[in-house]
Amino acid sequence: MSKVGAVAVVGGGVGGIQAALDLADSGFKVYLIESDVSIGGVMAQLDKTFPTNDCSICILSPKLVEAARHPNIELLSFSEVKGLSGEAGNFKLKVVRKARYVDETKCTGCGLCMEKCPVKVDAEFEEGLAKRKAIYIPFPQAVPRVARIDPEHCLYLTKGKCGACKKVCPFDAVNYEDEDKELLLDVGAVIIASGFEAYDPSKLYQYHPEHPDVVTSMQFERLLNASGPTAGHVVRGSDHREPKRIGFIQCIGSRSTAEGKPYCSSVCCAYATKEAMIAVEHDPELEVYIFNIDVRVFGKSFEEFYQRAQKDYGIKYIDSRPSGVGVRDDGSLYVMYEDHESGKVKTMDLDMVVLSVGLDTNPKIYELAEALGIKLNEYGFVETKMEAPVCTSREGVYVLGAAQGPKDIPDTVAQASGAAAKAGALLAEARGTMIEVPELPPERDVSGEIPRVGVFVCHCGLNIGGVVDVPAVAEYAKTLPYVVYAKDNKYSCSSDTQELIKEAIKKYKLNRVVVAACTPRTHEPLFQNTVREAGLNPYLFEFVNIREHVSWVTRDDKEKATEKAKELVRMGVAKAVKLNPLYREKLPLNHSALVLGGGISGMTAALDLADMGFPVYLVEREGELGGNLRNITQLPDGRDPSEIYEPLIERVKSHPNITLYLNSKLVEVKGFIGNFEGKIETPEGEKIVEFGAAIVATGARELVPEGYYHYGEQENVITQLELEKRLPGINAKSVVMIQCVGARCPERTYCSRTCCMEALKNAIRIKEESPDTQVYIIYRDIRSYGFMEELYQRARELGVVFIKYDADKPPVVGKDNVSVYDRLLRSNLTLPADLIVLSVPMVAPEGAEETSLLFKVPIDVVSGFFFEAHVKLRPVDFATPGVYLCGTAQGPKNIPESLSQASAAASRAATLLSKEYIEAEGIVSCVNEDVCIGCEVCVPMCPYSAIEMREREVEVDGKKVVVKKSSINPAACTGCGTCAAACNPGAIEQRHFQNNQILAQVKAAFNFPQNGGGA
Amino acid sequence: MMAEEWEPKIVLFACNWCSYGGSDAAGVARFQQPPTTRIIRVMCSGRIDPAFVLEAFLEGADAVCVTGCHIGDCHYINGNEKTKLRYSFLERVVKELGIEPERLRLEWISASEGEKFANFVKQVTEDVKKLGPSPLKPEGVQ
């Protein structure tokens, strides 16, 4: 039976969206099934994201729009999965589309119904801090932007009264008779992306969650947000005053057996740090205290973020976690905590308390797991194995993100692409069988035509029309040169207006279209598609923003608003008449990949790509595969590491799509995305290979801790990896482990993420083998995040002694002892030590610099690891197109994290390799060689190395001379236009933002363009 | 009848990813602004050719604003670093042309900083109102 080339992704948060986009981009049909009204998940609710404090919705929103508009993605919002039958490759998935009471095909999201609805209910999106109506769109950037009626609160549906929304809806979209509908989908694979739910602290009475000044971290996130319930002003619920002193209490619903949540939620320390920093940015006088057990900021650049929070923002971390919040008779709040400097219990008054709630399992997961027939672990997260972090207990069903265990956004996004790779490999033979290529009419050739501009001015209901005199603007547009048609529309984005625009293009032979409405950042693609459907090149369209830039910000002066709107339309028309059609150049593509590095990450990436049907060249410097895992003698679960790497090695060696080069070195790379050429030095001589994409999986190595704690001078001082080799059978009475040796220090500021677990694992091994051996772990913070908290618990049960030290009072190593100041006991201890084990960080491997030069990819100056394109949303992409990274080359990480990233890199490469050809950007820069003087100023301007100088033969005074001319590779150009601004002779033009186009706009800001010029 | 208060006209260049997003965010949050700006969108502030700025002054702009992503946040890695260099060049040229330095402005505004965008527009408008029309403004131009 042939396989089905469609995948269901269950859950439309950032992880589900990423998996859907990867699969849709590599030729699969995707059903994106979201149980809520809009996709976006928790990320849509966040104000900022750590550690860069990027605006969360700003980086998410383009992904929402992309998912909604993708021709291969069918978005099923407000739908639930009810059952799965069949087998991997050929499933039948039962889905119920819940009654929304609003017709998705008719609703334009204008919001009139929300204005008229008389019922107010606590808004879930605002965490109950604001109200919504019974008919509502959860947030402004919601996708789909379609209202939903809440049947529990709607007056018509509960009492048969009202009906205001139906009356006011201009599109007749309200349908009170709507019912649940059942669908049966044919899919080859299912990906679970159901995420998490923030822990509900309402039963933890000791923290007084009912007190108006005690909020959860999710509520605080909304308070910080400019579009949140208080417009970004942090105020207390009790008196709406700004707090002067805030305390965060960590581990609410985490690391607590009493609360039934023994695991660590992994993200709370970092998000509390972020929220604290933003709060201080809002009010520099604010005091913030974070009460914690350990500060677990283990991700890439998180430690530096935490240090900055203390140094630059004055945020205080107190390593004593209060067991409750006190409320005085006057309602004021306080906490009691142990002050480790004085050893006394102190009381601190707080104006506001933030409960840092953990990542709880999504309550819907139990029903979903039953419907899909997959196993959950004891905490209610989807069970996976260490060597298969995105595979569930059922073949063909995959998982990603917080549904599998608490994790942050980049780890979720990596797993998302990883799950997409597994589904893509399973269904490789069915790629491209279920997708439709939309048929478009041929494009009309407008060259040589005199510009005929059509202008459409939008009322946007009352959003624009309530302030700007829209018909007057349309009338004014008619007076502008080259404008042959102008009209005002109630809603320019509604589907009937799209038809009107298409008709007008045909009837009036328009060859340029201007829409004056909202922002191009969200709506430009819609109108570009519309003009394309009418047979015009999509770049013959210009957008004028008279909502965000006029009506919404000039509310009280209608006359001036109208005047400004007219001038903006004038500028838009001036640019429009100079627009040229643009084409996305099609370039040939080599469908092979090169993977650099034969550790478990490199092997996994190579195998995933090979399984998807792409030829792979795997290049390894050493004589054998397996990388660092060969230095480990036991996994945390007690198994032999060869159980992980041996099956991979066997498959790599026997896979028909993989060509393996051992003892080999990549020494030269030429070309660009889709068309690279590499030179490999192999024992058999030089080999030239051609490939379309490359994955850097060069790994990391353990720091050699020379200069630290007499390492190399004293025989009993060893590293954790050296200890591994001696286990079992070390025969010591007392072992002292020292954490953060050469990490989290001025010379190496980062946290190496895995060393705590390595120490815990080895401590447990020693204790299990010889219970009488004393094991001490001297630490700064134990960062056993996620379910690895179990290791910490197990070590304590076995009697491992933990001693917390201060970074500025490091331990002192003697011949057979270690002295240390115990920060929690406030006393100096001297511990006997037969063996002193240093936990040292992972550092970038030798040769990283060379690799960086080969592919022109950056290295993070702080850590020395490779630097990805975007810390949150593109963890395995390089900014250089066609080059990806994974595993410890990107930063320290453990086995499942490396494997997730490896599959993710394969998936990202597959989105490229599965195409027939490469399509360059339309808006790229190009060189007029006749004007270029070969000055080379443009070459270093390009951050993507897309410009090179090429030799050209020209004739000067009858003689042939070879000169240099600038040449821009359209495949690598991202269209920023920096080179065009730098080109003095004006030889470089950025298409769609040409000099004459921008200058026309500038002129039209002041003058009625008399000679608007031709195209 | 009182003469209507003079309103300056300000050409504001904004990059697609950050400051244009900031201007949108200002709208979404309804941060009211004087209607003085004429925003021209480019993909990256690194596209802003000094010639565009000078042309705007010659046409009659009372102020010209160059805006982009915060340093380190550029969508195109480091386009705004180049903007910064070109801006320092522009500052010198503008000085030589006899234009008051308050009429040329540079501001980094992220896509989420709606309030900052609105405050920036208010501030520039106020500053320019104090100065009056640009000395370079051609006759008859508003």
Side-chain angles (χ1 to χ4, degrees), chain A residues 419-430:
Chain A
K422 297 296 180 194
L426 172 73
L427 306 175
E429 63 185 66

Side-chain angles (χ1 to χ4, degrees), chain A residues 313-592:
Chain A
Y313 291 77
I315 291 156
K316 303 273 191 308
Y317 291 79
I318 297 177
D319 46 2
S320 164
R321 188 178 159 283
S323 56
V325 173
V327 181
R328 295 209 175 80
D329 288 345
D330 63 356
S332 62
L333 301 171
Y334 66 94
V335 289
M336 288 167 76
Y337 67 100
E338 197 187 343
D339 177 53
H340 291 302
E341 269 163 42
S342 63
K344 294 198 174 101
V345 172
K346 286 192 172 174
T347 301
M348 186 190 287
D349 291 327
L350 293 168
D351 298 331
M352 193 172 186
V353 169
V354 181
L355 303 178
S356 290
V357 292
L359 270 52
D360 201 348
T361 186
N362 184 335
K364 287 177 185 152
I365 193 76
Y366 297 98
E367 209 185 310
L368 183 63
E370 206 177 304
L372 296 176
I374 53 137
K375 279 189 200 149
L376 300 178
N377 71 12
E378 58 189 301
Y379 312 120
F381 292 87
V382 176
E383 189 178 278
T384 56
K385 287 188 184 141
M386 179 184 280
E387 60 269 39
V390 296
C391 300
T392 70
S393 57
R394 184 168 182 180
E395 205 195 336
V397 181
Y398 308 97
V399 64
L400 66 88
Q404 186 249 2
K407 57 180 65 68
D408 64 4
I409 294 168
D411 288 357
T412 296
V413 170
Q415 280 203 333
S417 290
K422 297 296 180 194
L426 172 73
L427 306 175
E429 63 185 66
R431 181 193 306 277
T433 55
M434 297 244 326
I435 57 170
E436 289 163 35
V437 182
E439 269 196 36
L440 291 169
E443 242 179 66
R444 208 176 92 205
D445 180 11
V446 303
S447 57
E449 287 181 18
I450 290 170
R452 294 178 63 83
V453 185
V455 180
F456 300 85
V457 190
C458 184
H459 287 263
C460 194
L462 291 173
N463 279 311
I464 298 170
V467 178
V468 172
D469 184 347
V470 172
V473 175
E475 281 307 311
Y476 173 76
K478 286 181 187 165
T479 68
L480 295 169
Y482 303 106
V483 173
V484 295
Y485 180 78
K487 191 172 178 332
D488 57 317
N489 307 100
K490 191 91 191 141
Y491 288 97
S492 296
C493 58
S494 68
S495 41
D496 52 330
T497 307
Q498 304 313 300
E499 293 308 313
L500 282 173
I501 294 174
K502 283 192 240 174
E503 279 166 33
I505 290 171
K506 283 173 196 153
K507 191 169 170 192
Y508 300 96
K509 295 195 172 56
L510 304 178
N511 53 23
R512 305 287 187 285
V513 172
V514 174
V515 170
C518 51
T519 172
R521 293 174 89 244
T522 54
H523 282 66
E524 190 170 42
L526 171 79
F527 294 108
Q528 284 188 322
N529 280 358
T530 302
V531 300
R532 178 64 192 85
E533 282 166 18
L536 274 186
N537 183 281
Y539 292 94
L540 296 174
F541 170 79
E542 181 63 16
F543 213 132
V544 177
N545 187 344
I546 57 168
R547 189 177 75 177
E548 282 83 348
H549 291 177
V550 183
S551 65
W552 277 354
V553 295
T554 321
R555 223 169 11 203
D556 300 329
D557 195 334
K558 295 183 177 181
E559 211 168 296
K560 281 185 177 155
T562 305
E563 196 50 41
K564 181 176 175 183
K566 285 180 184 172
E567 291 194 14
L568 291 179
V569 167
R570 190 169 79 200
M571 291 163 71
V573 169
K575 182 172 179 186
V577 298
K578 299 205 182 289
L579 290 175
N580 294 315
L582 299 186
Y583 300 95
R584 294 165 69 99
E585 204 174 321
K586 287 176 183 172
L587 304 156
L589 168 74
N590 183 304
H591 298 274
S592 310

Side-chain angles (χ1 to χ4, degrees), chain B residues 1-140:
Chain B
M1 203 172 86
M2 255 175 63
E4 206 182 317
E5 201 191 353
W6 173 73
E7 287 275 7
K9 195 178 275 185
I10 301 162
V11 172
L12 190 152
F13 292 96
C15 78
N16 184 60
W17 305 98
C18 293
S19 51
Y20 194 95
S23 71
D24 282 351
V28 170
R30 313 295 197 272
F31 291 123
Q32 299 301 299
Q33 303 154 33
T36 48
T37 51
R38 301 293 176 267
I39 298 177
I40 296 178
R41 182 172 69 111
V42 287
M43 295 310 282
C44 177
S45 64
R47 172 69 185 100
I48 303 165
D49 193 321
F52 301 161
V53 175
L54 298 175
E55 178 69 24
F57 278 120
L58 293 175
E59 291 291 334
D62 296 300
V64 181
C65 304
V66 173
T67 67
C69 305
H70 287 273
I71 294 295
D73 282 358
C74 178
H75 186 81
Y76 302 101
I77 303 173
N78 54 19
N80 50 4
E81 301 272 4
K82 293 149 201 165
T83 312
K84 212 163 112 182
L85 286 175
R86 288 181 193 134
Y87 185 81
S88 57
F89 160 76
L90 267 172
E91 276 181 313
R92 292 201 305 274
V93 176
V94 159
K95 200 174 162 191
E96 279 173 28
L97 286 172
I99 301 172
E100 299 89 332
E102 291 85 354
R103 297 190 192 273
L104 177 68
R105 306 295 268 262
L106 175 72
E107 193 69 57
W108 308 130
I109 301 166
S110 85
S112 60
E113 289 175 329
E115 192 166 11
K116 182 175 181 183
F117 183 89
N119 287 339
F120 175 62
V121 170
K122 278 187 226 165
Q123 189 61 53
V124 178
T125 304
E126 241 170 71
D127 294 350
V128 174
K129 271 191 178 172
K130 279 181 207 149
L131 296 172
S134 161
L136 259 55
K137 197 187 269 289
E139 218 155 296

